[in-house]
Amino acid sequence: PVDGADAGDAIPSGVIEAELNFVARGSTRPVSFTFEPPPGEPWNSGDYEVRRVPVRNARPLAALGDLSLDRSGFERVVRPSALHDFSDDAVIRESYYPEASAILREVTGAGRIVVFDHTLRDSEQGARGTPQLREPVRRVHNDQTFESGPRRVRDHLPPEEAERRLKGRFAIINLWRPLDPVAQLP
């Protein structure tokens, strides 16, 4: 996560228990449509179960330097954005995408960064199937698979470059930034 907050945020450093929705053991492979599903198909499939899991505040760990992409799979980076109004897609692409690229280049050392999309989520005003402002995802999930990851590379790079890069190391990284204090559904 990237945010503009200081390490001195007034958030407890302890552990809390939270209820998260996981795919139930033995459930069929879940499918979740982002936009209107084909006729007769539900928006979501699969069976889910609620599990209570411990959740730790990452801020103290980040302050100690105990989090990194390589070691933890995520990292907390504090970088205030020059963009304050995220309501215009064109402005986001023109202004924020270069900011995001700079952050990722700094954190990863990558020689090539391709920002390929963004999603704005709001638990009060977001709606399913609305590309401008979507609701939060209420299930534990990942955004890429072993098939979709390489497909993304091929979708966003020229064919020769994509095939060359797929022979080496590449990563798809979600850069998440709260636009307002997160009060629910973090």
Side-chain angles (χ1 to χ4, degrees), residues 168-183:
R169 189 172 178 209
F170 74 96
I172 295 178
I173 299 174
N174 287 355
L175 185 69
W176 182 85
R177 174 186 297 275
L179 303 181
D180 290 313
V182 179

Side-chain angles (χ1 to χ4, degrees), residues 16 18 23 31-32 38 45 62 65 72 74-75 79 86 91-92 99 101 120 127 157 161-162 167 175-176:
I16 63 167
V23 173
V31 175
S32 181
S45 67
S72 309
F74 70 96
E75 188 168 335
R79 297 290 184 284
F86 283 80
V91 173
I92 292 171
E99 258 185 37
S101 293
L120 298 176
L157 293 177
E161 181 182 0
K167 290 178 184 170
L175 185 69
W176 182 85

Side-chain angles (χ1 to χ4, degrees), residues 7-186:
D9 292 330
I11 303 231
S13 61
V15 176
I16 63 167
E17 280 206 355
E19 292 184 345
L20 301 180
N21 299 306
F22 286 84
V23 173
R25 295 187 195 287
S27 175
T28 59
R29 182 177 176 203
V31 175
S32 181
F33 288 95
T34 303
F35 298 105
E36 188 73 35
E41 293 286 329
W43 280 91
N44 298 302
S45 67
D47 298 317
Y48 292 86
E49 61 188 21
V50 174
R51 294 188 205 158
R52 291 190 63 79
V53 297
V55 177
R56 294 179 66 189
N57 180 2
R59 287 170 182 85
L61 297 172
L64 294 172
D66 286 349
L67 299 177
S68 72
L69 282 172
D70 286 337
R71 192 171 43 251
S72 309
F74 70 96
E75 188 168 335
R76 180 172 187 256
V77 179
V78 178
R79 297 290 184 284
S81 177
L83 185 62
H84 298 286
D85 180 1
F86 283 80
S87 63
D88 184 329
D89 253 16
V91 173
I92 292 171
R93 292 175 193 282
E94 181 181 306
S95 176
Y96 189 67
Y97 278 25
E99 258 185 37
S101 293
I103 292 168
L104 290 170
R105 187 168 286 108
E106 175 189 329
V107 170
T108 66
R112 176 91 146 100
I113 305 285
V114 178
V115 179
F116 54 80
D117 69 15
H118 62 274
T119 302
L120 298 176
R121 297 193 185 277
D122 185 304
S123 59
E124 293 178 8
Q125 298 176 20
R128 181 180 290 187
T130 304
Q132 299 84 359
L133 191 61
R134 299 207 305 239
E135 65 185 353
V137 177
R138 291 172 164 85
R139 297 172 309 282
V140 174
H141 68 284
N142 60 10
D143 289 345
Q144 305 297 327
T145 65
F146 288 111
E147 291 177 22
S148 68
R151 185 179 326 123
R152 284 284 196 173
V153 173
R154 290 183 181 102
D155 287 348
H156 298 287
L157 293 177
E160 291 173 6
E161 181 182 0
E163 294 312 314
R164 180 172 46 84
R165 292 197 179 272
L166 287 170
K167 290 178 184 170
R169 189 172 178 209
F170 74 96
I172 295 178
I173 299 174
N174 287 355
L175 185 69
W176 182 85
R177 174 186 297 275
L179 303 181
D180 290 313
V182 179
Q184 59 183 350
L185 297 167

